[in-house]
Amino acid sequence: MRYLEASEDDFGQAAAAFLRETTADGTVVLSGPCPRCGHAMEYLITTSVVKGWRARRAPAPTVARPVEEMCCTCEQDHPGRPVDYLGCGAFWDLPLDS
């Protein structure tokens, strides 16, 4: 399958079935087959932010993210893929409450 930046409504629905694991640092690892190419992939969602060298007096405000913008991260070859890219080009929104 050639690399193609594309999205379809059912990509997010398919990704909602991905296996979810939470690491000790709170990162969520989603794993499953890409909805477009079918290759195994993992996608990381982190809720932590690296702070700069200056201390802050108040914590940074949190922003609710109703969806996570995801893309295919498979490592299989897809002709036409730009150098240093991963995946087949598929992208989608995944509701975080799914």
Side-chain angles (χ1 to χ4, degrees):
M1 174 177 289
R2 292 194 57 80
Y3 178 87
L4 175 67
E5 292 182 7
S7 185
E8 294 183 17
D9 291 339
D10 62 340
F11 286 178
Q13 295 169 354
F18 278 19
L19 176 66
R20 296 175 186 225
E21 296 180 67
T22 303
T23 64
D25 68 357
T27 298
V28 175
V29 181
L30 303 175
S31 57
C34 168
R36 179 172 176 260
C37 70
H39 295 136
M41 59 167 277
E42 287 188 343
Y43 192 88
L44 306 178
I45 300 174
T46 184
T47 57
S48 62
V49 176
V50 177
K51 294 182 180 180
W53 61 272
R54 294 182 185 197
R56 295 182 181 208
R57 295 185 190 266
T62 58
V63 177
R65 296 187 319 180
V67 298
E68 179 70 23
E69 296 174 355
M70 294 181 62
C71 62
C72 177
T73 60
C74 80
E75 296 183 13
Q76 301 299 317
D77 185 39
H78 291 283
R81 180 172 60 203
V83 175
D84 296 331
Y85 275 42
L86 290 174
C88 68
F91 62 95
W92 58 90
D93 289 340
L94 177 70
L96 293 179
D97 60 356
S98 63

